[in-house]
Amino acid sequence: DVAIGDRESGAVLTPHYYRGEYWVAGNPGARYAIEIHNKLGERLLAVTSVDGVNVVSGTTAGWDQTGYVFTSGDRYQITGWRKSDAEIAAFTFTASPNSYAERTGRPANVGVIGVALFRERPPLPVYTSPSIGPREEDRSRYEGRLKDEAAVSAQSRQSMDKAAAAGAANSAPALDARVAQAVPAPKLGTGHGAREYSYVNHTEFERMQTQPNEVIRIRYDSLDNLFAMGI
């Protein structure tokens, strides 16, 4: 689940479906959050962008970039552009010319929040090679200490053969960008707001495939503009 929340009022912004896309109305000047809830029984990677800018790295958004990893059942609010492992700059609804994307020369996707979700590559089944015991003629020749050493050696080989790897592939749907051409350009963007404390840790994550398993795209604008568009 992905929801957009107004941090000033605590309200979840109601999504409105219009011409194949979901829209929410933002209040200029208000801070907001992107809340993601992982309902699957596995870890997910959420590569998230606002106005076409990756919220973790600050680079122009792409599916192969870094993101947030959610364990099963995790719910987390992304509240700003990450500046370090301990600090973010808050997401703030603002006039499009004052948005972080436009001020850094990247206006193409102002007014768009995107979340590309990737499932984790599962480990391969553990393979254990068959144990090889001593031949019959060896048993007749070797007794005592040599026999014990052979048994210990066989146990060591069994322990060393247990390992895991990864591998699986799947296919996922892609976005249909043609719908966006019928919608007027939004006049509300996301500003680079005040610094806030927000702590994260690092982890490893291997994607099941290069393309997202799911893409969630939400557009936003002011209430007046949505009303004028007939939303």
Side-chain angles (χ1 to χ4, degrees), residues 23 28 93-99 102 110-111 184-190 219-222 225 229:
W23 289 74
F93 288 123
T94 187
S96 181
N98 295 327
S99 66
E102 281 212 37
V110 170
K187 301 210 172 31
L188 197 64
T190 297
R219 295 178 69 94
Y220 66 91
D221 205 341
S222 65
N225 286 339
M229 291 164 57

Side-chain angles (χ1 to χ4, degrees), residues 36-222:
I36 300 176
H37 182 199
N38 178 13
K39 291 187 172 183
L40 294 184
E42 61 187 85
R43 297 204 309 171
L44 287 176
L45 169 66
V47 179
T48 307
S49 64
V50 171
D51 295 353
V53 180
N54 185 290
V55 301
V56 177
S57 65
T59 56
T60 301
W63 285 344
D64 59 343
Q65 296 174 349
T66 186
Y68 288 100
V69 175
F70 293 77
T71 59
S72 177
D74 267 357
R75 185 191 297 270
Y76 180 70
Q77 287 190 343
I78 303 173
T79 55
W81 314 98
R82 183 147 297 280
K83 310 311 293 182
S84 70
D85 289 350
E87 197 175 41
I88 56 95
F91 293 143
T92 306
F93 288 123
T94 187
S96 181
N98 295 327
S99 66
Y100 179 42
E102 281 212 37
R103 291 171 70 89
T104 54
R106 297 172 287 182
N109 291 293
V110 170
V112 178
I113 296 168
V115 182
L117 297 169
F118 294 85
R119 300 177 70 176
E120 190 167 21
R121 184 184 293 266
L124 286 174
V126 175
Y127 170 76
T128 303
S129 64
S131 60
I132 303 174
R135 295 177 299 176
E136 188 66 31
E137 60 266 34
D138 290 335
R139 270 199 294 269
S140 64
R141 275 190 291 165
Y142 297 98
E143 296 178 354
R145 182 175 61 85
L146 294 180
K147 184 177 180 180
D148 293 338
E149 289 178 355
V152 171
S153 178
Q155 292 176 0
S156 297
R157 285 195 299 272
Q158 288 179 341
S159 298
M160 293 176 63
D161 284 333
K162 294 179 180 179
N170 207 337
S171 60
L175 282 178
D176 185 354
R178 292 172 297 177
V179 178
Q181 297 176 1
V183 181
K187 301 210 172 31
L188 197 64
T190 297
H192 192 273
R195 297 293 182 98
E196 299 176 2
Y197 289 114
S198 174
Y199 297 93
V200 292
N201 295 317
H202 293 260
T203 187
E204 296 293 330
F205 187 96
E206 187 172 1
R207 306 172 198 221
M208 179 182 288
Q209 58 193 39
T210 57
Q211 296 294 309
N213 295 95
E214 184 179 0
V215 177
I216 298 171
R217 191 169 186 261
I218 301 172
R219 295 178 69 94
Y220 66 91
D221 205 341
S222 65

